[in-house]
Amino acid sequence: MTSTFRILHVSTGNVCRSPITERLTRHALSDRLGDPLTRGLIVESAGTWGHEGAPMEANAEIVLADFGADATGFVGRELLDEHVIRADLVLTATRDHRAQVISMGHSAGLRTFTLKEFTRLVRAIDPATLPDARDEGVVERARALVRAAAALRGWLLAPSPDADEVYDPYGAPITFFRSIGDEINQALDPVVTALTGVSARH
């Protein structure tokens, strides 16, 4: 039985930000690792007011297509206790989402970050201090990364209160969706590099 590492992306409705982040993460992982499932990494998403069973927003699909990522088969989910219990890393769109996840309990505080907060912490971690993914596997490396980020959290504060927020494009024109997509993609790049030990192929 291969051990697994679950990444859970959380936003409000699970039809815009978290689906984009989930599918961009999967796309980046498969770009660097081949099929990420074979390496034990599982990427999911849910919403604090999730539209259970809903498709993602059409503009979110367009943004994913821009990046060559796949939107097929996506179904919205409401965030449940079991999602938080199973997750090894929870990345939220905003600080409010982070607070909501942590308030659910399940010792979620040490593994729940906003996406941009996690990016900031990851940039400060020396990759040489993490297990080598080729020797010990991506799952071990990912677990060590989350521990290191949690340990740094009190030291590396956000430069401004909204520096850790990804704003909601729901109902906005495609131009705003695209700018949010770029923001998410830029925040994910160092995270996926740190998780896998493999840089993006440009």
Side-chain angles (χ1 to χ4, degrees):
M1 169 72 189
T2 322
S3 62
T4 57
F5 183 91
R6 280 180 189 269
I7 302 168
L8 176 67
H9 293 295
V10 175
S11 63
T12 305
N14 195 213
V15 291
C16 301
R17 287 168 292 181
S18 49
I20 290 172
T21 318
E22 174 198 313
R23 294 306 174 99
L24 285 180
T25 305
R26 287 189 191 179
H27 181 64
L29 287 170
S30 64
D31 185 50
R32 298 174 209 210
L33 296 176
D35 180 2
L37 278 174
T38 60
R39 308 295 180 100
L41 297 180
I42 299 166
V43 186
E44 303 173 310
S45 64
T48 53
W49 291 89
H51 298 294
E52 189 72 36
M56 76 173 78
E57 282 287 290
N59 280 348
E61 291 200 16
I62 292 169
V63 166
L64 288 174
D66 289 346
F67 287 103
D70 190 4
T72 51
F74 180 84
V75 179
R77 302 192 305 176
E78 182 160 355
L79 181 66
L80 302 175
D81 285 308
E82 66 195 56
H83 300 147
V84 176
I85 291 166
R86 287 204 310 249
D88 298 287
L89 171 61
V90 184
L91 295 176
T92 69
T94 69
R95 290 168 300 155
D96 277 352
H97 297 131
R98 183 184 67 196
Q100 283 178 271
V101 171
I102 292 170
S103 74
M104 292 169 78
H106 317 303
S107 313
L110 288 173
R111 50 199 165 87
T112 303
F113 308 80
T114 76
L115 170 62
K116 288 184 170 180
E117 173 193 23
F118 195 65
T119 303
R120 187 174 68 251
L121 297 170
V122 159
R123 286 183 188 279
I125 294 165
D126 179 356
T129 62
L130 299 170
D132 189 318
R134 287 165 302 191
D135 298 336
E136 298 183 53
V138 174
V139 168
E140 283 311 307
R141 183 182 177 94
R143 288 187 179 140
L145 183 69
V146 172
R147 287 194 299 270
L152 273 178
R153 179 157 25 201
W155 300 93
L156 271 186
L157 301 177
S160 67
D162 57 355
D164 286 342
E165 307 280 290
V166 174
Y167 290 107
D168 192 355
Y170 187 75
I174 185 62
T175 46
F176 188 64
F177 264 85
R178 285 193 161 121
S179 73
I180 292 295
D182 285 338
E183 220 174 281
I184 290 170
N185 194 55
Q186 282 169 22
L188 279 174
D189 184 60
V191 170
V192 176
T193 299
L195 280 169
T196 60
V198 183
S199 295
R201 292 183 289 194
H202 291 297

